[in-house]
Amino acid sequence: MKKPFGFLASAVIVAAIGMTSVAAAQLNTSSPDPGQGKSAVYAAEVQRLAESRTFVDNGLEVQVLDEAVNVDENTALEAAKHFIGSSRGDTAKKVTMTLARFTDTQVEQGILSDSNLSVQDVPVWIVTFHGVDMPRNGKAGSRKQYVNADVHVIIDANTGEEIEMIAGKHGK
């Protein structure tokens, strides 16, 4: 016997709402057990950053993080946008994120002097805004006032505090 169209449509809508609720609940959990799919993506991004000229040249070390943290992906993204400036963050060609264990080897005693934040072996979210126009620093006399860069914002994965920001040439 054929069921009326209205019944079938209602069943599909209820199923879709149920799946959406489950997905939303998973996104809003603060325990960032990223699952196997996200773990592989995070590991690949950590490897890419660890080998990048921007991180190597500036004494930044990252390793895969395999522990639970307090700050979820969405909260870290909002903190990073606030730190870089929402308008600049919104113009990025792409945004990537990863959980990592972070150390800045160029900071004396592993503590940022202006904020007392640790930068040694700390769980972080690294939010990378790709292809952002940033004010140029460096050689005087250059006609270009802006450079297209990848901007990495480091967010403490347990407190949500902005630790530091570093920019490098787009794609490097």
Side-chain angles (χ1 to χ4, degrees):
M1 180 168 132
K2 198 171 182 181
K3 297 201 188 249
F5 175 73
F7 172 78
L8 182 58
S10 297
V12 170
I13 290 170
V14 168
I17 290 171
M19 288 189 299
T20 303
S21 298
V22 169
Q26 288 174 343
L27 279 176
N28 291 325
T29 60
S30 62
S31 173
D33 176 13
Q36 290 179 340
K38 281 238 178 167
S39 292
V41 170
Y42 290 163
E45 182 67 2
V46 167
Q47 184 68 32
R48 185 188 73 78
L49 291 171
E51 295 171 355
S52 74
R53 296 300 327 157
T54 301
F55 274 54
V56 171
D57 291 350
N58 288 287
L60 305 178
E61 297 176 353
V62 290
Q63 300 171 341
V64 173
L65 180 68
D66 57 2
E67 65 188 63
V69 297
N70 296 326
V71 175
D72 66 48
E73 195 171 74
N74 293 330
T75 303
L77 178 59
E78 289 307 310
K81 280 184 176 181
H82 180 263
F83 195 54
I84 190 176
S86 291
S87 62
R88 189 167 278 135
D90 290 341
T91 63
K93 292 180 177 131
K94 177 176 141 184
V95 177
T96 55
M97 297 181 67
T98 190
L99 277 170
R101 184 161 298 285
F102 174 79
T103 299
D104 186 335
T105 62
Q106 295 183 354
V107 173
E108 233 178 273
Q109 298 177 346
I111 303 290
L112 292 175
S113 60
D114 58 339
S115 65
N116 288 327
L117 292 173
S118 175
V119 289
Q120 187 165 6
D121 200 34
V122 61
V124 298
W125 282 100
I126 302 173
V127 183
T128 304
F129 297 92
H130 300 271
V132 176
D133 285 335
M134 295 292 287
R136 176 179 288 285
N137 289 333
K139 297 178 186 174
S142 175
R143 292 182 192 185
K144 287 185 175 181
Q145 293 179 352
Y146 293 89
V147 63
N148 193 260
D150 289 345
V151 180
H152 310 280
V153 180
I154 315 299
I155 304 292
D156 186 302
N158 286 317
T159 66
E161 290 181 272
E162 302 93 355
I163 295 177
E164 55 184 302
M165 176 177 74
I166 187 160
K169 285 186 179 179
H170 180 53
K172 300 289 180 187

